[in-house]
Amino acid sequence: MPDLRLQGLTKRFGSVLAVSDLSFTVGPGVVTGFLGPNGAGKTTTLRMLLGLVSPDSGTALLNGVPYRDLPNQTRAVGAVLEASGFHPGRSARKHLLAIATASGIDRTRVDEVLAMVGLSEVANARVGGYSMGMRQRLELARAVLGDPEILILDEPANGLDPQGIAWIRQFLRSFASLGRVVLVSSHLLAEAAQTVDEVVILARGHLVGKGRLSEMLDRQAATVRIRTPEHEQARLLAALRDAGFAPGCVNMNDATTVTVQGASPEAVAPVITANGILVYEMTSGGGSLEGLFFEMTEGAGLGDMVPGYSPGAVPGYVRGGER
Amino acid sequence: MSRLVRAELVKLRTVWSTWVILIIAVAFTLPGGLLVGFAPHNNGIRHLIFPTEGTRAWFDLVLSTMDVVLDLALILGILMVTGEYRHKTVTPTFLYEPRRGRVAAAKLFAAAGAAVAVAVAGGVAGLLLGFGLVASGHGNIAEMLGAFGHVFPGVLFATVLFGVYGLGLGAIMKNQVAALVTGLGASAVIEPLVASTVPAVGRWLPGEAAQALESVTAHAIKGGHGGGFLTGITGLKLVTWWEGALALLIYGLVFVIAGSLTTLRSDVT
Ligand SMILES: Nc1ncnc2c1ncn2[C@@H]1O[C@H](COP(=O)(O)OP(=O)(O)OP(=O)(O)O)[C@@H](O)[C@H]1O
Ligand SMILES: [Mg+2]
């Protein structure tokens, strides 16, 4: 059975700790999502798995061995990477032919994978004239050239149109259903939620969550948010605590919102009516991957890692200075 | 390993720069030879004892213009490494072969092979030119073929070593523009300068070592020691041909190995 094992993987770029003591395993038969905010260390981790970046410490094993010790890398592992390139003057077919030659793969497979990703018609055209989505498809064709057992993808949906994204979802699912390993990083949480079975969540280079997505969402769904007028907030907090909700789980989110963790709307609503508290809005934690993601990676943006960088510290557009 | 070498040859075959280099090898040698053969007073070498038209020495001089293939092989070698970094194809390359030393070795063999092709292109152009000259009454075929037999083997050998030297330059510099400027700048400006000021050092530099190798063949021109017409200009006392070959081989191998141990080992992000 193919698998991936990361053990204590650590990588520092100068003063930036990109990946810190990261350990997890990825098994076959499911699509595993690798999620985290910008700069979390996803790309660095995937490149360490593939021997492109050397870790400061720790090991990454694919089918039990480091990437460089696999008998035939192209046949064992396929990778779609962001900053991977093409010679603009070379055609897609020739690009793949060079790799097939190096890996001892029959050239008929080149046309097979080009057809699989829908590039047959432009296979002999210079890659320099390809659109971003076409390049991404070519990158995917390259990844599956050796009919690998393990697929590692960094933001594969980048540059794809909605049909392309739906297509890749199907593609990853059918690949995993053959009992193979799929590890896919993504920014598109809504998309990931539809595609992945397991998630590994990374923030600031640290593992912050891992498990079956459905189970994690169930747990996360148990958060209720209540919006009230400001003057009702104190009463609401007291009423909830009196009703037996653990004080640690009942919190003031901001001046007008109270959150109750580990509760359902069905349990919270009677307390509100019994006390005659005015409420504008009540939502339950949604069970969305987005909610889960924000909860787990809260305050873990680049700002903590790179001094002076704080994405979205003030949400919204900032106008240029006054003249 | 043979697969890796073949993959490198596929890469070379499928980019236009390789073909442009082969075309230049032909396109430069033909008119270059005519210029040197018939217009000596316009090309800055008038102080040479200019050989009589149609003699072996004259054919040596005319055919030695094919040594442009050295610089072309140098460029090709540089492109083979720096092109991968420039276009980021180094990622797929190191994915199919993560043992980077093996990639470097495969490139070394492929560069040598490609350099042979470049030298042969120059050689074929030289032969065509030679036959053309004979056919139009400028000397006889025996003198021409004799001169070709002099000039070509040295050029071929030096070109292969220059291809490897270029590969090594690319491997230690990684940046295409920097490597091209360094490689061509060295052979066009820095080396001649060093050669004329500190000949003891200068004659061991790549371009001068290559001339030593070429001039095994071109003895006739100045008589005694000395080689192609460039040597005539600088008046540099060259090392022997085998010393030149050894020096070039060492440059190439040391650069390729140094590159493999340093630049090529760095993270590909
Ligand atoms: N070559 C490099 N040199 C210096 N720092 C780097 C390098 N590569 C990555 N980093 C730093 O390491 C950290 C992790 O980067 P990485 O690209 O792995 O994040 P990511 O999770 O892939 O982000 P994104 O979602 O934006 O793609 C970042 O702070 C980044 O600036
Ligand atoms: Mg990334």
Side-chain angles (χ1 to χ4, degrees), chain A residues 63-130:
Chain A
N63 295 339
V65 294
Y67 187 78
R68 59 175 286 131
D69 294 336
L70 288 165
N72 184 326
Q73 282 78 11
T74 311
R75 287 183 189 280
V77 183
V80 169
L81 292 170
E82 275 185 307
S84 175
F86 316 96
H87 191 291
R90 206 177 268 139
S91 69
R93 179 175 275 132
K94 292 292 163 40
H95 175 69
L96 296 182
L97 180 64
I99 296 161
T101 305
S103 311
I105 290 164
D106 199 277
R107 62 165 65 206
T108 55
R109 177 70 180 162
V110 168
D111 290 320
E112 201 170 282
V113 296
L114 283 168
M116 194 193 301
V117 301
L119 288 178
S120 295
E121 309 220 318
V122 289
N124 292 320
R126 306 167 67 246
V127 176
Y130 281 22

Side-chain angles (χ1 to χ4, degrees), chain A residues 68, chain B residues 1 81 85 94 98-108 164 167-174 251-268:
Chain A
R68 59 175 286 131
Chain B
M1 181 51 105
V81 188
Y85 281 95
F94 287 161
R99 287 160 294 187
R100 301 183 185 180
R102 291 172 60 102
V103 173
K107 284 192 183 289
L108 196 147
V164 175
L167 190 76
L169 270 184
I172 50 175
M173 305 195 70
K174 210 153 94 172
Y251 283 121
L253 291 183
V254 165
F255 283 2
V256 172
I257 292 168
S260 305
L261 293 178
T262 56
T263 331
L264 299 187
R265 263 178 45 182
S266 57
D267 291 339
V268 179

Side-chain angles (χ1 to χ4, degrees), chain A residues 11 13 47 50-54 67-68 72-74 79 81 83-90 94 97-99 101-104 142, chain B residues 3-4 6-7 10-17 83 87-100 265-269:
Chain A
K11 180 69 184 184
F13 290 109
R47 284 189 170 254
L50 296 163
L52 294 167
V53 167
S54 50
Y67 187 78
R68 59 175 286 131
N72 184 326
Q73 282 78 11
T74 311
L81 292 170
S84 175
F86 316 96
H87 191 291
R90 206 177 268 139
K94 292 292 163 40
L97 180 64
I99 296 161
T101 305
S103 311
R142 182 184 60 65
Chain B
R3 280 182 193 161
L4 294 179
R6 275 187 288 130
V10 171
K11 291 182 199 173
L12 278 170
R13 243 181 29 227
T14 52
V15 291
W16 60 270
S17 52
H87 301 297
K88 296 185 171 162
T89 50
V90 66
T91 292
T93 296
F94 287 161
L95 282 177
Y96 71 63
E97 184 47 270
R99 287 160 294 187
R100 301 183 185 180
R265 263 178 45 182
S266 57
D267 291 339
V268 179
T269 56

